[in-house]
Amino acid sequence: MKHRFPFVAAVTCAAALSALVMSTAPAQAATCVTLEVRNVRAEQGMLMIAAYAEAGSFDKTPVVATRTKAAGETMTFPLCGFTGGTAAFTLYQDLNGNGQLDKNVLGIPSEPWGASGTPMAMSAPTWDTTSVPLVEGATIVVKLSK
């Protein structure tokens, strides 16, 4: 996952975009899902979550972006406001609080990360590997790397 600008700016941009999308499309019902995150390192840093609604905005402009203190080994989050039938979720646990996914010299993440769908273990997540169908009330499970 590439984060080319501070996470705070991404959250602000995503919140504004989400508000715009929801205000311009009132006729379409918003879908709510539950995101279940496993393998969280309890009480260590922040859990950063981004949700993307289409391939063109994947890893650039999330429609939902949030962060929360890592509490337990498994955490659940209700996420609402999706108007399409598909989304992709990317997550990482910011252990050192610098607002970005740290990587080693080979470009491999050194902090726990995960994605919805079936991301490849040795390559960055893509829309094709992480997009999942959205069904009202469904639970989407994401396991963070160890």
Side-chain angles (χ1 to χ4, degrees):
M1 291 185 296
K2 297 178 185 176
H3 295 282
R4 296 184 179 165
F5 49 91
F7 186 77
V8 174
V11 170
T12 303
C13 179
L17 182 61
S18 293
L20 177 63
V21 167
M22 286 191 265
S23 67
T24 59
Q28 195 172 21
T31 300
C32 294
V33 297
T34 298
L35 182 65
E36 180 179 304
V37 185
R38 298 178 183 169
N39 296 337
V40 177
R41 293 186 188 177
E43 305 299 329
Q44 295 183 38
M46 301 293 285
L47 191 60
M48 312 296 234
I49 302 167
Y52 303 91
E54 59 187 36
S57 66
F58 182 76
D59 209 23
K60 297 176 190 133
T61 310
V63 292
V64 175
T66 188
R67 66 183 190 154
T68 188
K69 184 169 176 49
E73 292 180 16
T74 298
M75 298 178 65
T76 58
F77 306 92
L79 297 175
C80 293
F82 299 99
T83 55
T86 307
F89 299 86
T90 59
L91 302 86
Y92 70 95
Q93 189 170 352
D94 186 10
L95 298 173
N96 61 7
N98 67 353
Q100 62 186 11
L101 176 63
D102 294 329
K103 299 175 183 175
N104 66 20
V105 295
L106 299 174
I108 298 170
S110 57
E111 293 179 305
W113 69 276
S116 56
T118 55
M120 306 300 270
M122 296 303 288
S123 62
T126 65
W127 173 261
D128 291 333
T129 61
T130 60
S131 59
V132 293
L134 293 178
V135 177
E136 179 68 33
T139 298
I140 298 167
V141 177
V142 174
K143 294 179 183 178
L144 294 181
S145 61
K146 289 279 184 168

